[in-house]
Amino acid sequence: GDSDNANGKSETIKLKIADSLPTTNYLSSEGTVFFMERVEELTDGKVEFEHYPAEQIGKANSYLDLTLSKTIDIGYTSYSTDRLPLTEVATLPGAYSSAEEGSKIIWQLMKDYLTEEEYLKNGVRPLYAVALPQYQYVTAKKPIKSMKDIKGTKARVTGTMELGFDALGASPVFMPATEAYTAMERGTVDGVTFPFTSFEAYQIESIANYSTKGANLGSFTVVYSINEDVYKSLPEDVKEALAQAGDETVEHLSKFLDKKNEELAEKFASEIEIYELNDEESAEWDQALEPVWDRWAEDLEKRGFKAKETVQKYREIQESLQ
Amino acid sequence: MTVAIPLILLALFLAIGMPIAFALGISGSIGLLLFSGWDSFLGILSTAPYDSVKSFLLSAIPMFILMAAFMTVSGIMKDLFEAAYKWLGRLPGGLGIATIFAGAMMAAVSGSSQASAAAMSKAVAPQMRKFKYNTAFTMGVISMAGTLAVMIPPSIILILYGILTETGVGSLLIAGVVPGILTALGYIITIFIWVKLKPEIAPKIEIKPTLSERFASLKNVWPMLVIIIAVIGGIYSGIVTATEAGAMGAFITLVVVLLMGRMNMKKFGVALNDTIKSTTMIMTIIVGAHIFSYFLTMTQSTQKVVMMINELDISRYWILAIIILVYLILGFFMDQIAILILTLPLTFPIIMALGFNPVWFGIIITKTVEIGLVTPPVGMNVFVATGAAGVKTSEGFKGVTWFVIMDLLILLLLILLPFLTLWLPGMMIK
Amino acid sequence: MEKLEKLFSKLENIFLILSQVALVIMMILTTFDAFSRYLFSNSIVGAYEVTEMYLMVALVFLSMSYVQKVDGHIRLDILFERFPKRVQAIVNSVFYVLAAGMMFFIGLKGLEMTINALQNNLVASGLINLPLWISYIWIPIGAFLIMVRLVIQVILLLIGREAHPVKEILIEEDDFE
Ligand code: NA
Ligand code: NA
């Protein structure tokens, strides 16, 4: 914040918020923009945002550093898993079944535990966290109907899904999202992992022929964090507005994504053969992916992070919400 | 006012000959210090250099340059051009035309203008020098041939446009084919006219080779054909992505020239060193360009200009014309990727509201920012081509003038006749 | 001064060789990753990240200083080449002082990032965990190298010597015949 608002309510507080999302992405239009508008409304215009979307001042993994250096006040810290790895717990396969459920859990976990344990130690405070709908395996030539079909395929993956696909006997492949389309078209990879809500951003629906539905292959968590010094300098009513807007954004965006996910699955069904797992199959896949949790946790424990405690707390919150 | 100081500094630094990478980085840094303060300056200086370089996509640059360097040190590029000279040497600007063909071929495997221009320059410039072609003409042809890489698929810029605007990447890539071929034809016509007017820039072949001499020259062309077919085949069969193609191309070239006995440790070392020099020169400029464009973003000046356009109450063609003009002007100073990232979130909604076609606009904007690659003061393709050939940058800018005029004509044609762009993707929709 | 320059050039050359090694590994790794993926449906674990995090960063930063030595960071020379030698020297000194200043801050921030990654054991996690300090460390090494190179060149210019005694040498395949 450029202006310390110590003397008088008439002064506006300018907050710089930055992310790597194109403005057409739902996560931006229904998340970031929704959040900014709610804060502006709740503070009667006392807070104004300057929004730098679409990697305008840094690549995806630089927003934690840009927030820490106060180049910006609020940043999209999802990609800083080197320093904020515990947040990844919600991205593990089978962590939840709907975005609404996953978001409720991870946001509660942030409030109860991760804010202290992970974020404040790194000088930032999370403002909201939203878990995306579960990723599905989308393929061009080969329909995926069982775990057996996954074996031996090449899948473009991100994040912890590398562990999941390795556990299922597939070959996880890394490539820029920009190349996913062409890679699938030419068979460089057999498929990609995406939630339905991200298809359009990469035109996956026009190149894919098959997709799973109801598989919990893992996911991604959207987190926006504010520099803690900046946060401390804000007046109480603004802090309250940020908290309320954060809660509302978690609810709004996660519900929106679930609804959109269903709509899009229906829409794509005309072009893509969608194989929907029944509850039994879904549970079977979850079980096969269970070892990924231990592998993830043990790896982090070795590096001195309290991953086991995080998993335990995650499960506790999940139970309490049911 | 604070926005103007770094812009003026940049122009001044560039004009009096500060290395381009430093000029961009230093004026951007000063801008950050003046405009956003010490914290932002240190923040950007810690993230921008690392993030600009840590990029798998950009690994295509060293790999394609390395491929070209292997071709050059082993002499197989020389063989190719000698054959081209025997066949095309009597045409006006024959080697220039051969270069445009090679550029189109290169475009089918490379998605990046800079990688293509650098590779072409490494390989072609020594040949054209040998046949006494005028330096400015040579540099002009190579800088322009490099720009074909972005129109003819694969294309980093078109994919980026597709992602930033959620326009179908498949349609965009196919849409680039016809404008790409048109552009290549336009360049060939420019060469013809230019050489007709000034024959001394491209000396004609003195003797007339017999048909058997011409065919004899072809037997040395096979290594190049093998490499080209392998790389294009590798891309279109999905063995490699457009980014990986350069690495595979370099590797195959190395294997071919080793088998031919045309490689030794000395040549290998020279190829490596030369690749590093060109790559690091380009990447350092990219670091500087990022620092400068982050400064520009923080002043929100680009955004403000686009907002102003949005509020104008005039015909949609006037607005389109103004937007294209703004892109041409931005192209003078900025890197094309930075321009798209910075402005598309603002211009694209305007264009959609005016009812223009998103695929067509993508091609128009790509063509426009490509022109910026060869215009001074910041013309990446000219820097890369002249840097890789060890020639003065001024020669490069001298050499592109007529081609830029041709490019503007092609741009006008593409704007006036949208079916040129939209016909092919229209036929290929799934 | 010349002696110091010679000594520094030796150091610079060691890093140039590392940069060459990075280039060759990049070619081989990327090619074999593609082949392995195509032939055996098996991507080489970590190939993508190693290219991006280690090889690209090392390749570029470790050779920046050498490129400066041979005057390989290109410039617009329309006006510059018309300046008298003396003016060129003065102008270059100013450029290089400013550039050394910028490189100092880039190096300093890079050093902070490296130390932070080392102390906190930061990794890019995946099937194999890649330590981040090995990715960052090329920035301070490279930035400080070119900073020293720039300072040496300024001193050489001030005492009336050539700043770029070795200019870029270009390949002409005739060199090998
Ligand atoms: Na291309
Ligand atoms: Na330009």
Side-chain angles (χ1 to χ4, degrees):
Chain A
D2 307 346
S3 46
D4 280 43
N5 193 33
N7 42 0
K9 286 189 173 174
S10 57
E11 209 181 328
T12 58
I13 301 170
K14 275 211 172 129
L15 293 176
K16 294 190 181 112
I17 182 166
D19 56 57
S20 54
L21 302 163
T23 47
T24 45
N25 193 309
Y26 301 128
L27 304 179
S28 181
S29 58
E30 300 294 328
T32 327
V33 173
F34 178 89
F35 174 79
M36 293 190 297
E37 279 172 0
R38 282 306 288 144
V39 173
E40 285 172 353
E41 279 162 20
L42 290 167
T43 57
D44 278 326
K46 190 156 95 179
V47 172
E48 276 178 17
F49 287 97
E50 255 173 42
H51 185 203
Y52 302 97
E55 291 200 342
Q56 282 179 3
I57 61 170
K59 296 278 158 65
N61 59 354
S62 62
Y63 291 99
L64 176 60
D65 286 313
L66 290 170
T67 308
L68 287 175
S69 67
K70 294 189 192 166
T71 308
I72 52 175
D73 304 301
I74 299 169
Y76 180 41
T77 53
S78 296
Y79 288 93
S80 297
T81 49
D82 55 334
R83 277 162 290 174
L84 308 169
L86 295 175
T87 308
E88 274 190 326
V89 66
T91 72
L92 294 170
Y96 52 84
S97 48
S98 70
E100 191 181 355
E101 184 203 357
S103 303
K104 266 187 194 154
I105 305 170
I106 188 68
W107 186 223
Q108 195 59 48
L109 183 68
M110 290 255 185
K111 289 179 176 174
D112 294 355
Y113 182 63
L114 291 179
T115 300
E116 282 291 332
E117 180 58 35
E118 179 157 276
Y119 285 79
L120 291 182
K121 284 180 185 169
N122 279 291
V124 291
R125 172 183 294 271
L127 290 176
Y128 68 85
V130 173
L132 302 195
Q134 287 289 323
Y135 280 41
Q136 302 303 318
Y137 194 14
V138 198
T139 46
K141 296 198 182 80
K142 187 182 180 190
I144 302 292
K145 296 190 169 159
S146 68
M147 280 184 287
K148 199 171 78 239
D149 295 331
I150 296 179
K151 236 187 196 90
T153 59
K154 296 168 280 185
R156 189 257 172 193
V157 298
T158 51
T160 55
M161 254 160 274
E162 186 185 13
L163 304 176
F165 272 76
D166 187 56
L168 293 174
S171 178
V173 176
F174 279 85
M175 63 173 61
T178 46
E179 291 197 309
Y181 177 93
T182 329
M184 215 160 135
E185 181 185 36
R186 295 182 180 150
T188 312
V189 292
D190 296 297
V192 299
T193 54
F194 271 118
F196 292 114
T197 47
S198 298
F199 278 25
E200 285 168 323
Y202 299 100
Q203 280 93 47
I204 297 302
E205 76 279 7
S206 61
I207 201 70
N209 289 307
Y210 306 96
S211 176
T212 59
K213 183 167 184 267
N216 302 324
L217 295 173
S219 185
F220 181 77
T221 307
V222 172
V223 185
Y224 279 70
S225 309
I226 186 168
N227 181 304
E228 178 63 6
D229 293 337
V230 173
Y231 181 80
K232 278 189 191 144
S233 75
L234 296 172
E236 276 313 308
D237 58 329
V238 172
K239 287 181 187 165
E240 279 162 26
L242 288 174
Q244 191 185 332
D247 287 345
E248 287 178 20
T249 308
V250 174
E251 194 183 338
H252 172 81
L253 180 57
S254 65
K255 282 184 174 163
F256 174 88
L257 289 171
D258 279 334
K259 193 167 135 265
K260 200 80 201 168
N261 208 45
E262 281 305 315
E263 276 173 30
L264 290 171
E266 254 170 64
K267 185 179 150 197
F268 298 147
S270 59
E271 318 174 54
I272 300 173
E273 192 185 316
I274 294 175
Y275 179 74
E276 185 159 3
L277 280 70
N278 60 37
D279 290 349
E280 205 176 296
E281 285 170 315
S282 188
E284 196 189 322
W285 289 36
D286 285 358
Q287 208 188 350
L289 287 164
E290 191 68 35
V292 172
W293 287 68
D294 294 331
R295 188 167 177 182
W296 175 83
E298 267 154 32
D299 188 48
L300 282 177
E301 288 286 336
K302 261 186 252 157
R303 286 163 45 207
F305 292 98
K306 294 184 185 159
K308 285 186 175 153
E309 196 176 332
T310 306
V311 171
Q312 191 198 335
K313 289 205 187 297
Y314 182 93
R315 294 295 191 203
E316 280 168 20
I317 296 170
Q318 188 164 35
E319 305 237 315
S320 75
L321 288 173
Q322 269 162 5
Chain B
M1 194 53 221
T2 38
V3 185
I5 294 171
L7 275 171
I8 294 167
L9 272 179
L10 175 64
L12 178 77
F13 285 157
L14 287 173
I16 59 173
M18 183 187 277
I20 291 140
F22 302 160
L24 285 160
I26 292 166
S27 51
S29 297
I30 292 172
L32 285 166
L33 278 170
L34 286 177
F35 197 85
S36 314
W38 190 246
D39 290 338
S40 297
F41 163 74
L42 288 179
I44 296 292
L45 251 52
S46 72
T47 54
Y50 179 70
D51 288 339
S52 318
V53 172
K54 192 209 92 174
S55 159
F56 188 81
L57 278 176
L58 293 183
S59 73
I61 291 179
M63 293 296 102
F64 275 110
I65 299 178
L66 185 62
M67 176 172 102
F70 284 153
M71 288 174 177
T72 307
V73 295
S74 64
I76 60 171
M77 187 55 92
K78 188 186 75 177
D79 292 346
L80 181 77
F81 264 75
E82 261 165 20
Y85 199 59
K86 287 201 173 118
W87 285 86
L88 303 169
R90 296 188 62 82
L91 283 177
L95 284 188
I97 294 167
T99 305
I100 299 294
F101 273 118
M105 205 92 83
M106 187 73 200
V109 296
S110 159
S112 145
S113 275
Q114 277 93 301
S116 185
M120 298 272 300
S121 185
K122 275 267 107 70
V124 168
Q127 303 310 322
M128 288 174 76
R129 192 160 37 216
K130 200 164 115 199
F131 292 106
K132 305 246 166 4
Y133 271 54
N134 170 283
T135 310
F137 176 71
T138 301
M139 285 299 118
V141 172
I142 294 171
S143 307
M144 301 313 294
T147 67
L148 293 173
V150 163
M151 271 297 170
I152 297 172
S155 164
I156 292 174
I157 299 296
L158 284 174
I159 290 179
L160 182 72
Y161 174 90
I163 285 170
L164 288 171
T165 62
E166 303 201 356
T167 305
V169 172
S171 301
L172 278 168
L173 289 176
I174 295 169
V177 174
V178 173
I181 293 171
L182 266 182
T183 306
L185 283 176
Y187 293 164
I188 289 174
I189 292 170
T190 313
I191 292 173
F192 262 115
I193 297 174
W194 195 354
V195 175
K196 275 276 173 237
L197 294 175
K198 280 194 157 187
E200 68 274 17
I201 60 172
K204 222 185 224 177
I205 192 163
E206 296 295 335
I207 39 144
K208 194 176 176 206
T210 63
L211 210 58
S212 65
E213 275 176 320
R214 289 192 190 182
F215 277 103
S217 73
L218 285 185
K219 73 174 198 295
N220 291 326
V221 169
W222 70 266
M224 283 298 288
L225 285 181
V226 168
I227 295 164
I228 290 167
I229 291 169
V231 176
I232 294 185
I235 283 197
Y236 288 90
S237 63
I239 299 175
V240 285
T241 63
T243 308
E244 295 163 341
M248 195 188 73
F251 185 79
I252 289 174
T253 308
L254 181 62
V255 171
V256 168
V257 297
L258 274 174
L259 289 176
M260 293 171 74
R262 286 184 148 193
M263 184 55 88
N264 57 33
M265 274 320 276
K266 188 186 164 204
K267 292 181 184 182
F268 187 67
V270 171
L272 293 186
N273 234 14
D274 231 64
T275 304
I276 285 173
K277 269 188 271 179
S278 302
T279 304
T280 302
M281 179 266 285
I282 297 169
M283 295 301 298
T284 314
I285 295 179
I286 292 178
V287 170
H290 272 119
I291 296 174
F292 191 79
S293 83
Y294 293 154
F295 147 72
L296 264 190
T297 307
M298 298 213 71
T299 64
Q300 300 212 304
S301 40
T302 334
Q303 292 93 320
K304 278 172 200 155
V305 171
V306 179
M307 294 291 203
M308 265 160 52
I309 298 171
N310 201 8
E311 279 156 22
L312 292 175
D313 187 25
I314 45 177
S315 135
R316 67 178 199 148
Y317 287 98
W318 275 114
I319 295 183
L320 179 73
I322 293 170
I323 287 180
I324 288 172
L325 194 69
V326 169
Y327 274 93
L328 281 173
I329 293 169
L330 287 175
F332 285 128
F333 298 100
M334 287 170 67
D335 167 66
Q336 80 226 83
I337 292 179
I339 295 176
L340 292 189
I341 290 176
L342 204 57
T343 59
L344 274 180
L346 306 156
T347 54
F348 188 71
I350 301 178
I351 287 296
M352 288 304 98
L354 293 174
F356 290 111
N357 182 295
V359 172
W360 170 80
F361 182 65
I363 298 296
I364 298 298
I365 282 314
T366 304
K367 185 80 204 153
T368 312
V369 293
E370 282 294 289
I371 294 173
L373 284 178
V374 294
T375 54
V378 183
M380 274 308 284
N381 267 28
V382 172
F383 296 162
V384 166
T386 52
V391 172
K392 287 176 195 146
T393 43
S394 48
E395 297 279 1
F397 285 123
K398 243 188 276 168
V400 298
T401 321
W402 294 109
F403 293 106
V404 169
I405 292 170
M406 176 54 81
D407 254 346
L408 290 171
L409 287 176
I410 295 168
L411 179 63
L412 194 66
L413 197 67
L414 294 175
I415 293 171
L416 295 177
L417 305 173
F419 72 87
L420 287 177
T421 305
L422 297 174
W423 167 73
L424 206 51
M427 295 192 21
M428 301 182 108
I429 293 277
K430 178 184 154 183
Chain C
M1 195 58 215
E2 268 88 353
K3 254 192 193 150
L4 190 74
E5 199 273 342
K6 284 241 160 62
L7 207 68
F8 180 73
S9 286
K10 281 205 176 113
L11 182 71
E12 209 171 39
N13 261 325
I14 295 172
F15 289 107
L16 177 66
I17 290 166
L18 283 179
S19 176
Q20 294 174 336
V21 171
L23 179 67
V24 175
I25 297 177
M26 194 187 293
M27 173 184 77
I28 294 173
L29 189 60
T30 308
T31 306
F32 280 63
D33 184 29
F35 285 165
S36 159
R37 193 179 56 213
Y38 186 75
L39 295 174
F40 314 115
S41 281
N42 216 334
S43 203
I44 297 174
V45 175
Y48 180 93
E49 298 92 322
V50 165
T51 295
E52 170 168 284
M53 289 170 53
Y54 297 162
L55 301 175
M56 275 301 279
V57 184
L59 165 63
V60 172
F61 277 92
L62 295 186
S63 56
M64 237 176 227
S65 171
Y66 170 76
V67 175
Q68 175 58 27
K69 174 185 170 181
V70 297
D71 202 15
H73 290 294
I74 57 160
R75 50 175 105 216
L76 297 181
D77 43 26
I78 308 167
L79 273 179
F80 185 78
E81 62 170 7
R82 300 199 178 149
F83 293 154
K85 274 265 166 301
R86 190 71 209 136
V87 178
Q88 281 188 359
I90 294 167
V91 172
N92 261 344
S93 317
V94 176
F95 293 164
Y96 294 170
V97 167
L98 286 171
M102 179 175 75
M103 289 301 168
F104 170 76
F105 286 110
I106 292 176
L108 192 69
K109 295 311 284 184
L111 187 63
E112 276 176 33
M113 281 159 71
T114 311
I115 292 172
N116 180 41
L118 202 55
Q119 280 174 345
N120 296 303
N121 202 7
L122 300 182
V123 302
S125 57
L127 286 174
I128 43 172
N129 288 331
L130 299 166
L132 275 169
W133 71 268
I134 303 179
S135 179
Y136 296 147
I137 194 166
W138 316 115
I139 299 175
I141 295 176
F144 288 140
L145 270 178
I146 186 174
M147 182 189 81
V148 174
R149 167 56 67 190
L150 288 160
V151 170
I152 289 176
Q153 287 176 329
V154 170
I155 297 172
L156 285 173
L157 286 168
L158 291 182
I159 59 173
R161 306 284 155 82
E162 276 278 334
H164 307 278
V166 193
K167 289 269 178 182
E168 262 200 293
I169 310 152
L170 286 152
I171 15 172
E172 301 277 1
E173 71 281 2
D174 297 339
D175 295 352
F176 306 106
E177 283 166 3

